[in-house]
Amino acid sequence: MIQPFLHFQPLLDELPLQSFECRIYEAICPESPLPKARYATLRALYEPHRSFADRVVLDSGALVLYFPAPQTVTGEDVLEFHIHGGPAIVKAVLAAIPKSTPTANSASTIRYAEPGEFTRRAFYNNRLELTQIEALGDTLSAETEQQRRLAVRGTTSNLTKQYETWRHDLLHARGELEALIDFSEDQHFEESPAKLVSSVAQQVENLRRRIQANIENASRGELLRNGIKVALLGAPNAGKSSLMNRIVGRDAVIVSKEEGTTRDVIEVNVDIGGYFCKFLDLAGLRGSSSSDAIPLKQTVGEVEEEGIRRAKERVLTADVVIVVLSIEHNGMQSAEPHVYVSPEILNVVSKCDLTNTRIVGVINKLDLLDNAAELDTSAALGGLSDKLAAPFYLISCTLAQGDHDKALDAGGMQRFLNGLTSTFKEMTSATSLDNLPGSTPFEDCLGTTSRQRLLLQECNQCLGDFMSEVTSQNTGQSQESVDRGAEVDIVLAAEMLRAAATCLSKINGKGEAGDVEEVLGVVFEKH
């Protein structure tokens, strides 16, 4: 195996491209013809500028490839040395490269690339779009199947083309308004100024809807990219930690019959059906013994109380909350097992419901029932049933622990995980905008990065300001004033469209805005 490879191309403009690479190659591979373009050729590498008798071999079997511009990753000539990966060989070859061009300015000609410099050159030579460059980072960091698919979507130029189309639409709309400013006195328009402004406003409103749909899909894509936060919420000893261990497939959390074992937030990353998830095991929620139907075996201490406070705080930041309930006998010799939902859990779930968090219900300890039909699930869930994002699941962590045949699914764990995966799919699937011409393929919008989303939000805000300007000024005006269009500040409205178009220019890394270079610098350093 030959590894790593050394990638060279001129990083300054002192020498012509082909001359530069030829000098390096002729010095390190003397008396050997330049390889055929894009063909790997076996060559011995030597210390530069040595006589035949004094030659020092650096690597006796390296692969050399030459890629002429412009069909290269950067759009410039590229010379690659794939050498054996021993540290001494790599060090010797790196030291020999600067010696291959013994000129006065060779030290300034040959240098290491700055962070992101090859990517920057690829962008300036139109080999990569800025949105594709950002997707490269996602490609390299993808850990799950869904993250891989998301990254692949971003490597196409579809998003770039869509943003550029929107920018041109705004330029066209702005041009119509500015024509109204420059030539309104000539009265050469087929439409009245008011009708022209109304036509532009309709175009802008349609664009606003498309951009808003893109923003919403971007948020869904960020769940795939950054991970779906899943919180396990329930009373002590309901089986949250046991469920966590069954999900991740190992003993990640301590399990004990003692109440209040989990007192801090325990976070475990896991791949569920191709979705990157961050599971949070939280302290069990309970109040005073006088308020619970199930008597507490011990008093809540200060440490556990702090754990409960943190649990209530963290659950509100989760994307999905799994409410873990359990079948209990209560120790009261009751003839029928039942499920108890504490007021503390209902209170927290109600707060989650206000933030549109997905709520999934789980009833644990199915093994305590002789027949699952014995349990009146509607009565068991009480006020929780109308808040669930999916059907509740009957499971048994005890049965699942010894269930090695997934087809049997004795503990109901596979059914639960399949249902959880369906919930994830629903949360991260692209939404559509029906009956709107010119809509973008919304699957591509999932690849929108947080930087792009923030600029789209800024763009939409500018468009919203434009709509407020052109609609509010006509409210309550006489028909004569509206026909003249005199109440609309055309100059201000056109400026708002210019600001919106600038936001779209920043997304693609092009435009006249002074901070575009700063944006490019940040992106290239990361990729």
Side-chain angles (χ1 to χ4, degrees):
M1 180 178 180
I2 297 180
Q3 195 63 256
F5 78 86
L6 305 179
H7 176 107
F8 293 99
Q9 63 186 102
L11 296 176
L12 292 177
D13 297 328
E14 281 89 351
L15 296 172
L17 293 178
Q18 189 172 2
S19 173
F20 184 92
E21 274 112 10
C22 284
R23 290 188 186 185
I24 294 178
Y25 177 81
E26 291 172 355
I28 294 181
C29 303
E31 302 177 4
S32 297
L34 188 69
K36 184 179 179 180
R38 296 180 176 81
Y39 278 78
T41 307
L42 187 66
R43 291 284 189 266
L45 307 185
Y46 298 93
E47 181 78 19
H49 308 297
R50 293 265 190 160
S51 64
F52 182 82
D54 295 333
R55 280 184 181 176
V56 176
V57 178
L58 303 177
D59 190 344
S60 59
L63 287 179
V64 181
L65 294 97
Y66 171 62
F67 300 91
Q71 300 300 321
T72 65
V73 66
T74 62
E76 300 174 348
D77 284 10
V78 174
L79 181 64
E80 291 182 0
F81 294 103
H82 294 248
I83 63 177
H84 289 87
I89 293 178
V90 174
K91 184 177 179 180
V93 173
L94 287 175
I97 297 296
K99 301 176 184 176
S100 60
T101 56
T103 61
N105 60 354
S106 62
S108 62
T109 302
I110 300 176
R111 61 175 174 81
Y112 288 105
E114 297 175 356
E117 186 164 356
F118 287 126
T119 309
R120 180 186 290 270
R121 287 170 176 258
F123 172 76
Y124 283 131
N125 290 325
N126 297 317
R127 298 298 297 167
L128 286 175
E129 303 289 352
L130 192 58
T131 55
Q132 293 175 305
I133 292 171
E134 289 180 294
L136 288 177
D138 292 339
T139 302
L140 297 175
S141 61
E143 297 180 3
T144 68
E145 175 62 17
Q146 294 299 327
Q147 288 179 325
R148 182 195 66 79
R149 293 183 182 182
L150 181 70
V152 170
R153 290 191 190 102
T155 56
T156 67
S157 59
N158 293 341
L159 279 177
T160 298
K161 293 177 181 177
Q162 184 61 71
Y163 297 147
E164 192 64 15
T165 298
W166 290 347
R167 190 178 73 86
H168 280 291
D169 290 345
L170 288 177
L171 292 178
H172 177 74
R174 178 185 167 195
E176 291 189 22
L177 291 181
E178 292 188 347
L180 188 62
I181 298 172
D182 296 334
F183 307 109
S184 60
E185 295 182 359
D186 297 338
Q187 298 295 325
H188 292 317
F189 296 99
E190 296 181 358
E191 298 178 312
S192 67
K195 290 183 178 179
L196 184 60
V197 170
S198 177
S199 175
V200 171
Q202 184 60 46
Q203 298 173 39
V204 171
E205 180 59 27
N206 289 340
L207 180 57
R208 279 186 67 200
R209 291 179 59 195
R210 291 197 293 269
I211 293 178
Q212 184 58 39
N214 194 316
I215 293 172
E216 293 173 0
N217 284 312
S219 299
R220 291 170 174 256
E222 287 177 15
L223 288 177
L224 295 174
R225 184 180 296 107
N226 302 327
I228 302 172
K229 288 186 287 186
V230 184
L232 300 180
L233 179 70
N237 276 8
K240 300 185 302 300
S241 298
S242 297
L243 178 58
M244 170 82 92
N245 291 339
R246 299 289 79 75
I247 290 174
V248 303
R250 59 186 176 88
D251 292 334
V253 186
I254 296 175
V255 177
S256 172
K257 294 183 179 180
E258 178 183 344
E259 292 185 348
T261 303
T262 303
R263 300 189 176 190
D264 204 350
V265 178
I266 300 176
E267 182 173 330
V268 179
N269 296 338
V270 62
D271 181 346
I272 301 293
Y275 294 90
F276 177 54
C277 303
K278 300 177 180 180
F279 276 82
L280 306 176
D281 186 19
L282 308 175
L285 302 187
R286 56 176 173 171
S288 62
S289 58
S290 60
S291 64
D292 279 340
I294 301 176
L296 297 177
K297 298 180 180 180
Q298 52 183 297
T299 306
V300 177
E302 291 185 5
V303 176
E304 185 179 355
E305 187 176 350
E306 174 62 19
I308 293 174
R309 186 195 67 80
R310 294 187 182 186
K312 292 179 178 179
E313 184 179 86
R314 290 294 296 274
V315 76
L316 296 178
T317 66
D319 304 304
V320 177
V321 174
I322 300 176
V323 181
V324 183
L325 307 175
S326 62
I327 300 170
E328 302 290 349
H329 287 283
N330 279 352
M332 299 179 180
Q333 305 299 322
S334 175
E336 295 183 0
H338 68 281
V339 177
Y340 172 67
V341 183
S342 70
E344 286 77 14
I345 293 177
L346 285 175
N347 182 46
V348 174
V349 170
S350 297
K351 293 180 180 179
C352 294
D353 194 41
L354 296 176
T355 60
N356 296 322
T357 303
R358 299 296 181 100
I359 311 295
V360 177
V362 169
I363 298 180
N364 188 26
K365 303 183 183 179
L366 176 62
D367 52 289
L368 297 181
L369 296 177
D370 295 331
N371 185 353
E374 298 176 6
L375 184 65
D376 185 354
T377 53
S378 298
L381 294 174
L384 190 63
S385 57
D386 60 341
K387 301 182 185 298
L388 299 180
F392 67 90
Y393 301 93
L394 285 172
I395 67 169
S396 171
C397 293
T398 301
L399 296 177
Q401 185 173 8
D403 183 13
H404 301 291
D405 188 347
K406 294 183 179 181
L408 295 177
D409 194 19
M413 194 61 61
Q414 288 305 312
R415 177 176 176 270
F416 164 64
L417 291 178
N418 291 338
L420 198 59
T421 302
S422 298
T423 300
F424 295 156
K425 182 178 181 180
E426 182 183 347
M427 293 172 60
T428 57
S429 295
T431 59
S432 60
L433 199 56
D434 296 331
N435 301 321
L436 184 63
S439 296
T440 179
F442 287 99
E443 289 294 329
D444 292 329
C445 297
L446 292 173
T448 302
T449 64
S450 57
R451 181 191 72 86
Q452 297 165 18
R453 177 178 56 80
L454 291 174
L455 286 170
L456 287 174
Q457 289 175 336
E458 185 179 344
C459 175
N460 235 18
Q461 180 61 48
C462 294
L463 297 183
D465 294 340
F466 168 84
M467 293 301 298
S468 298
E469 172 63 26
V470 300
T471 57
S472 64
Q473 295 296 338
N474 282 337
T475 303
Q477 301 296 324
S478 65
Q479 185 61 43
E480 181 181 356
S481 296
V482 172
D483 289 340
R484 292 198 310 266
E487 300 301 328
V488 178
D489 190 337
I490 303 298
V491 175
L492 180 59
E495 176 60 23
M496 293 171 180
L497 295 184
R498 186 203 65 80
T502 298
C503 294
L504 296 177
S505 296
K506 292 179 183 178
I507 294 179
N508 288 337
K510 300 176 182 179
E512 299 178 356
D515 55 349
V516 166
E517 282 296 325
E518 296 179 9
V519 173
L520 295 179
V522 172
V523 173
F524 293 142
E525 286 180 5
K526 290 182 179 179
H527 308 94

